[in-house]
Amino acid sequence: MNPSCGRCGTIVYPTEKVNCLDKYWHKGCFSCEICKMTLNMKNYKGFEKRPYCNAHYPKTNFTCVADTPENLRLKQQSKMQSQVQYKEEFEKNKGKGFSAVADTPEMQRIKKTQDHISNVRLSVNTHTGQEQQPPQPHQSPAASKNYSYEPVAAPGPVRQVAAAPPPSSGKRYQAVYDYAAADEDEVGFLEGDVIVDAQVIDEGWMYGRVERTGQQGMLPANYVEAI
């Protein structure tokens, strides 16, 4: 028994039969659902068991999920689970007083720079003669009393003595470009400024003091030249 056509519904004979999309078609009936262009086995595109041409093939679109009561309930349940998990993590870490910080390359660079700054500052303080004075012994109130009366002369005018700048040590450099400090541990300078107490750190950075402003910190090595 001959099958019927998937479009016109009449009998399809073997000489004009096209078997596609789980149906049988007349060769003339196997056409696009939209423009009715006749198709063949090489240029058709099937969608829901109906033939289409390439231009009118339906495009799948994303659908929005409606806020049904069931979806709202699932959303609220997920939110409550997140809050419970956050509370458990907070109670678990409470009282430790610190949080773990990832040891990224940037954190390693900052830590290394801070270590170099501490070492350089210690070296600079040693060169400038800044030493910590030992604490004075405690004196009893009875020992500090003076029972004899001596006339005290009126104080005369005190002459201000300008403090001498600390002696510079290390190499001296001169700025060839202006530089504005980008971080707290950096120091800015202008073209022509002299950098003293300079020590090369690594990766194109050095530590030194700007003679004009007295500020000291990290600065880029390619912005200065030795003098």
Side-chain angles (χ1 to χ4, degrees):
M1 181 178 179
N2 295 321
S4 58
C5 178
R7 185 176 299 280
C8 65
T10 59
I11 296 175
V12 180
Y13 295 99
T15 55
E16 58 179 355
K17 181 172 62 175
V18 176
N19 184 5
C20 187
L21 299 175
D22 296 333
K23 295 180 181 180
Y24 294 97
W25 314 77
H26 294 106
K27 292 181 179 180
C29 292
F30 191 64
S31 59
C32 176
E33 288 287 319
I34 305 299
C35 63
K36 306 305 179 184
M37 181 182 73
T38 302
L39 303 172
N40 54 43
M41 298 299 293
K42 294 182 180 180
N43 62 358
Y44 87 96
K45 288 190 174 183
F47 182 77
E48 294 183 354
K49 296 187 178 182
R50 308 297 295 180
Y52 293 88
C53 66
N54 187 41
H56 296 104
Y57 181 74
K59 295 181 174 62
T60 56
N61 297 323
F62 295 100
T63 57
C64 297
V65 180
D67 286 334
T68 61
E70 179 64 18
N71 290 336
L72 292 175
R73 185 186 67 82
L74 294 175
K75 182 179 180 181
Q76 185 68 19
Q77 184 177 359
S78 300
K79 185 177 180 180
M80 291 177 62
Q81 290 178 354
S82 299
Q83 292 177 352
V84 170
Q85 185 177 3
Y86 172 78
K87 186 175 181 180
E88 290 178 355
E89 293 292 334
F90 177 78
E91 293 294 336
K92 182 178 179 181
N93 296 324
K94 185 171 65 175
K96 292 184 178 180
F98 65 92
S99 58
V101 179
D103 195 11
T104 61
E106 181 65 19
M107 293 300 298
Q108 291 179 358
R109 186 191 72 82
I110 294 175
K111 182 179 178 182
K112 189 174 182 180
T113 302
Q114 291 176 349
D115 292 340
H116 281 296
I117 291 175
S118 299
N119 295 333
V120 171
R121 284 180 177 173
L122 179 61
S123 176
V124 171
N125 292 338
T126 303
H127 285 296
T128 55
Q130 298 178 0
E131 298 180 355
Q132 184 177 3
Q133 297 296 331
Q136 297 294 332
H138 177 70
Q139 297 181 354
S140 62
S144 62
K145 291 183 179 179
N146 186 6
Y147 295 97
S148 61
Y149 174 77
E150 295 180 358
V152 180
V158 179
R159 180 168 173 260
Q160 297 288 342
V161 179
S168 62
S169 61
K171 296 182 179 180
R172 295 169 60 89
Y173 291 82
Q174 186 174 20
V176 295
Y177 306 105
D178 295 347
Y179 180 74
D183 292 329
E184 294 181 357
D185 59 346
E186 295 181 4
V187 62
F189 49 83
L190 300 177
E191 180 181 356
D193 283 348
V194 177
I195 313 299
V196 297
D197 300 333
Q199 297 187 19
V200 178
I201 305 300
D202 61 353
E203 298 179 0
W205 288 88
M206 62 193 314
Y207 185 89
R209 177 168 58 88
V210 181
E211 191 175 44
R212 178 178 57 85
T213 61
Q215 297 179 348
Q216 58 185 6
M218 300 293 296
L219 53 106
N222 58 344
Y223 276 61
V224 298
E225 62 181 4
I227 57 176

